[in-house]
Amino acid sequence: MPVGVIIVAAGRGERLGGRVPKQLLAIDGRTIVERSVAAFDAAPDIEHIVVVLPEALVADAVSIVGRPARPCTSVAGGARRQDSVRCGLAAMPAGVDVVLIHDAARPFVSGALIARVIAAARESGAVVPAVRARDTVKRVPMGTSTVAETVPRDEIWLAQTPQGFTRRVLDEAVALGETVDATDEAALAERSGHPVRVVEGDEANVKITTAADLADARARVAPAPRVGTGYDLHRLVEGRPLVFAGIVVPFERGPIGHSDGDVVCHALVDAIFGAAGAGDIGQHFPNTDERWQGAPGLDLLARAVAILADGGWQVANADVTVVLERPKLGPHIPAIRAALAPVLGLTVDAVSVKAKTNEGVDAVGRGEAVAAHAVVVLRRAVRA
Ligand code: CTP
Ligand code: MG
């Protein structure tokens, strides 16, 4: 029993209310319809995909749908959803005898759900995936604001797609749909006398209907935050300014190096590149390149933040520990945090700077060097 799918994407998305139909909007770089098509393209049993688009967009089908690995036909839809299904069915090759119908507006359909619907459609001829109602259900007659009855919730299931039918059942349902209005093919199959079986739907298989649904969908695919650590150490010598995030702390010695020896900024730069898996400070700003010799640490930090911003990443918070025997850093910490915050794109409360001595131990403890450890969390803004 070869299986095909009709993905209906010819609606106007009026409830979402954008300039373009909702199925053409992107979630993290891929359109909603492209995501739906990809889900079926990856399902092992699907042999043919028909995508139903608004008439004006059929000529651009490849740019909208991509190039699925499986045979894929794009056709123009009709005024009602059921008209679009009829247009899609007419384009389904004759050899396909189990047909799934899926709303393009449900881009999170899983392979497991597709397999469940196909198995049940083969067995029973007509199947709808559905989830149980969670809220108490009230029936309120149109044009009134008074509850007519409370419907027993245990009997209420909320229908999803893909719905699955043998071709014979679907042909009859679609024919009935020419004269009867329905919001899904299962309703038409019921009305043409076919028992429609329910299989467990999937709470994640939401239909993107409103702007809030779209925002939720984008938040859902946002990548997990990334964490990175950084470390830096410089020897302290006489005649150099002791600088942390560009703030000069009065002292008789300061860090020596090709740069300004700003350990706070250098540790943060490494933490940022580390979180992104993007190498380290030496790779991006090699000290053999005269552009970076003597470069202020805050400048390198701003550049690191900008490099990451190109990929959509931004710093969520930063925590630095400076290890320094003398002088006491405490009085300067507010100024250091205030200098870092705008460069990191953060408010001061998301930038922590702490100081420690090394208890007289080792080179840092003898006052011969200053070190800093940094931890940074990056998050990626959700892209359209
Ligand atoms: N659909 C279609 N042809 C139509 C109407 C709807 O192919 N004439 C498709 C939509 O593109 C969507 C699916 O059917 O993928 C479910 O419909 P719905 O969520 O109602 O989408 P729209 O009709 O586009 O949205 P709205 O009702 O808010 O205008
Ligand atoms: Mg609609």
Side-chain angles (χ1 to χ4, degrees):
M1 279 184 142
V3 185
V5 61
I6 299 169
I7 298 176
V8 281
R12 294 147 66 104
E14 277 165 1
R15 283 170 288 176
L16 201 135
R19 272 182 301 111
V20 291
K22 63 186 180 184
Q23 61 276 22
L24 304 186
L25 299 175
I27 298 175
D28 201 23
R30 291 166 74 209
T31 64
I32 291 173
V33 59
E34 201 180 335
R35 285 175 174 270
S36 291
V37 171
F40 287 89
D41 198 29
D45 286 330
I46 301 291
E47 294 190 15
H48 199 98
I49 301 171
V50 175
V51 184
V52 188
L53 294 171
E55 188 164 10
L57 297 177
V58 176
D60 295 330
V62 170
S63 69
I64 294 167
V65 171
R67 292 187 188 278
R70 293 170 203 280
C72 180
T73 315
S74 295
V75 296
R80 301 170 303 168
R81 181 184 175 283
Q82 66 207 76
D83 300 323
S84 297
V85 170
R86 191 174 57 249
C87 299
L89 185 59
M92 186 62 79
V96 170
D97 46 22
V98 169
V99 181
L100 308 189
I101 294 160
H102 185 65
D103 291 334
R106 295 183 188 270
F108 298 120
V109 57
S110 70
L113 179 59
I114 294 170
R116 205 146 65 229
V117 170
I118 292 173
R122 282 181 166 141
E123 250 176 57
S124 309
V127 57
V128 56
V131 292
R132 286 180 179 278
R134 281 194 235 163
D135 299 334
T136 296
V137 179
K138 308 286 184 190
R139 194 173 65 75
V140 181
M142 291 287 275
T144 78
S145 52
T146 306
V147 174
E149 65 171 325
T150 298
V151 184
R153 188 178 56 196
D154 291 348
E155 293 183 7
I156 302 296
W157 292 70
L158 307 176
Q160 300 187 334
T161 71
Q163 301 182 356
F165 307 90
T166 53
R167 186 110 183 202
R168 190 179 58 78
V169 173
L170 187 59
D171 282 341
E172 274 184 46
V174 165
L176 182 65
E178 299 213 30
T179 50
V180 170
D181 285 340
T183 50
D184 67 1
E185 281 54 51
L188 293 169
E190 290 154 38
R191 295 208 34 185
S192 50
H194 292 284
V196 175
R197 178 167 151 194
V198 175
V199 295
E200 196 66 44
D202 180 356
E203 296 281 355
N205 181 31
V206 289
K207 180 155 77 74
I208 296 173
T209 304
T210 62
D213 294 338
L214 181 64
D216 284 351
R218 287 185 174 146
R220 218 167 100 173
V221 301
R226 308 276 300 253
V227 64
T229 74
Y231 168 74
D232 193 32
L233 176 144
H234 281 273
R235 282 192 298 122
L236 293 171
V237 296
E238 278 180 17
R240 296 266 301 182
L242 181 59
V243 59
F244 301 97
I247 304 294
V248 177
V249 172
F251 192 53
E252 66 267 17
R253 278 173 295 145
I256 186 162
H258 292 286
S259 64
D260 62 354
D262 191 329
V263 289
V264 165
C265 288
H266 296 175
L268 280 167
V269 168
D270 260 356
I272 286 171
F273 287 137
D280 64 15
I281 191 168
Q283 267 169 266
H284 288 271
F285 312 118
N287 58 22
T288 48
D289 184 332
E290 64 184 29
R291 267 185 306 165
W292 312 125
Q293 291 184 6
L298 267 185
D299 189 31
L300 299 184
L301 185 58
R303 286 171 189 273
V305 169
I307 289 168
L308 270 283
D310 282 347
W313 292 96
Q314 61 198 46
V315 178
N317 77 298
D319 184 20
V320 183
T321 303
V322 177
V323 194
L324 177 69
E325 209 61 20
R326 275 189 323 119
K328 285 273 173 256
L329 214 52
H332 305 282
I333 282 178
I336 296 170
R337 293 174 70 195
L340 289 172
V343 177
L344 294 169
L346 296 173
T347 50
V348 170
D349 62 296
V351 183
S352 154
V353 176
K354 315 184 297 301
K356 275 209 137 17
T357 72
N358 217 33
E359 292 284 322
V361 175
D362 293 340
V364 173
R366 290 190 297 272
E368 294 165 16
V370 56
H373 301 265
V375 174
V376 155
V377 171
L378 295 183
R379 65 163 167 243
R380 208 180 81 198
V382 186
R383 288 185 298 172

